[in-house]
Amino acid sequence: MFPQTIDGIKDHLKTKGIKPSLQRVKIYEYLITHRSHPTIDEIYNALADELMTLSKTTVYNTLNLFVEKKVAIVILLEENETRYDADVSNHGHFQCIECNKVLDFNYDLAQHPIKDLEGHMVTEYHAYMKGVCNDCIKSKKEC
Amino acid sequence: MFPQTIDGIKDHLKTKGIKPSLQRVKIYEYLITHRSHPTIDEIYNALADELMTLSKTTVYNTLNLFVEKKVAIVILLEENETRYDADVSNHGHFQCIECNKVLDFNYDLAQHPIKDLEGHMVTEYHAYMKGVCNDCIKSKKEC
DNA sequence: GTATCTGCAAAACATTTGCAATTCT
DNA sequence: AGAATTGCAAATGTTTTGCAGATAC
């Protein structure tokens, strides 16, 4: 599903019109190897050790570029918290309100025609849910 | 669907555990008479003339209270933009990427069981789409 | 050598907090 | 009077912008 090698990542980015700089490749690699839908902060903190001079501005620039070039999508689940996902296919997200974990789920809204939207041109589909994940349900029962 | 009178609004807020102060009643009235899913700024600007001393803090406080007491929901459609809706039922939102208008649509995600989420407890359902509304499609054709 | 990319510092916004003044009962 | 609410000013946090230096082709 995702490129498996650094060269694969470079080729993928090039195909999408993105020059594969070190920072961009590392950020994309982080996104595809950490499917937790990280925030800018999480990405920055994770890579700052390895890329000593990395700045948050670059992380912002890069993710804005990724979204514009459609190699990543923005995930909105909470106010004041923008998360990113390298899986650009139509799928849903479930966030646990106890542990804040985000799970993907298979669901393509585009497959469900909506009467109220006839006549409009739909280009993006988003579905998300919140609740308590099974891990947190278990931990609660133990108390 | 929504209370039709000021007294109706007061009763509704009281039922939900909210003391109906002037500011709260006016903000709730604005929400149910302007179904455009306004931002804090839009609500503040719309009411500032009438409520001379209204502060943005009060608009923030009030909407946080409304969400907590479940008389309004947060609508996330864009980064850094929180919108509010007094319709707390499960339904979807469509935003036009040309004119930014937000339309409601009838769609209850809760009616669509998701295999990947078996074992988790889902308490909130959100669906939204983006695209170009029919008004903007028409204006484009005219050019 | 010219374009682009990076990263610092500052600016721009959105939201929250602390607290004093006001309102309501 | 006592409790809750309002609203100002300051603080916090996130994202963008301007620009100078570094990098790539």
Side-chain angles (χ1 to χ4, degrees):
Chain A
M1 178 181 186
F2 295 117
Q4 298 296 314
T5 63
I6 297 299
D7 281 345
I9 290 176
K10 285 185 185 173
D11 286 344
H12 179 58
L13 296 182
K14 272 189 224 164
T15 304
K16 298 289 189 161
I18 299 168
K19 284 197 188 175
S21 72
L22 173 63
Q23 288 85 343
R24 288 168 177 176
V25 170
K26 283 288 176 189
I27 291 172
Y28 189 78
E29 183 189 26
Y30 183 85
L31 272 185
I32 63 179
T33 54
H34 298 80
R35 305 297 322 291
S36 55
H37 315 84
T39 61
I40 293 284
D41 235 58
E42 285 163 5
I43 299 169
Y44 172 76
N45 290 328
L47 296 177
D49 276 350
E50 193 180 347
L51 303 174
M52 302 287 291
T53 67
L54 183 66
S55 82
K56 237 178 221 185
T57 303
T58 299
V59 183
Y60 276 107
N61 288 341
T62 301
L63 282 152
N64 287 340
L65 181 68
F66 283 0
V67 171
E68 186 196 323
K69 299 294 190 181
K70 301 195 196 305
V71 303
I73 56 171
V74 169
I75 308 286
L76 299 175
L77 291 167
E78 298 182 75
E79 305 168 57
N80 311 328
E81 196 183 73
T82 306
R83 295 171 174 273
Y84 295 88
D85 191 347
D87 177 358
V88 297
S89 70
N90 286 342
H91 65 285
H93 298 101
F94 170 82
Q95 183 172 40
C96 176
I97 57 179
E98 301 283 339
C99 66
N100 289 320
K101 180 166 53 189
V102 179
L103 304 174
D104 287 295
F105 62 82
N106 215 297
Y107 189 75
D108 185 359
L109 263 179
Q111 305 298 318
H112 299 257
I114 311 278
K115 251 206 181 132
D116 294 344
L117 296 183
E118 278 168 20
H120 306 288
M121 186 176 77
V122 181
T123 55
E124 264 184 61
Y125 299 86
H126 302 267
Y128 69 94
M129 303 181 185
K130 296 196 184 191
V132 184
C133 72
N134 51 18
D135 288 347
C136 289
I137 294 172
K138 275 182 217 154
S139 341
K140 274 187 168 176
K141 275 184 189 157
E142 283 161 14
C143 299
Chain B
M1 178 180 186
F2 296 117
Q4 298 295 315
T5 62
I6 297 298
D7 280 345
I9 291 174
K10 286 186 185 173
D11 286 345
H12 180 58
L13 295 181
K14 272 189 224 164
T15 304
K16 298 288 188 160
I18 299 168
K19 284 199 188 170
S21 72
L22 174 62
Q23 288 85 343
R24 288 166 176 177
V25 170
K26 283 289 175 188
I27 291 171
Y28 190 77
E29 184 189 25
Y30 184 84
L31 271 186
I32 62 178
T33 54
H34 298 81
R35 306 295 324 289
S36 54
H37 317 82
T39 59
I40 294 284
D41 235 58
E42 286 163 4
I43 299 168
Y44 172 77
N45 289 327
L47 296 177
D49 276 349
E50 193 179 347
L51 303 174
M52 302 288 291
T53 66
L54 183 66
S55 82
K56 240 179 218 183
T57 302
T58 298
V59 183
Y60 276 106
N61 288 341
T62 301
L63 281 153
N64 286 341
L65 180 69
F66 283 179
V67 171
E68 185 196 324
K69 299 296 190 181
K70 299 194 198 304
V71 302
I73 55 172
V74 169
I75 308 286
L76 300 174
L77 292 168
E78 298 181 75
E79 306 168 58
N80 312 326
E81 196 183 74
T82 307
R83 295 171 173 274
Y84 295 88
D85 191 346
D87 178 358
V88 298
S89 70
N90 286 343
H91 65 285
H93 298 101
F94 170 83
Q95 184 173 39
C96 176
I97 57 179
E98 302 283 339
C99 67
N100 290 319
K101 181 168 50 190
V102 179
L103 303 174
D104 288 294
F105 62 82
N106 215 298
Y107 189 75
D108 186 358
L109 264 178
Q111 304 298 319
H112 299 255
I114 312 278
K115 249 202 180 135
D116 295 343
L117 296 183
E118 276 168 21
H120 306 288
M121 186 177 76
V122 180
T123 55
E124 263 183 61
Y125 299 86
H126 302 267
Y128 69 94
M129 302 181 185
K130 295 194 186 192
V132 184
C133 73
N134 50 16
D135 288 346
C136 289
I137 295 173
K138 275 182 219 155
S139 341
K140 275 185 170 176
K141 276 183 189 158
E142 283 161 14
C143 301

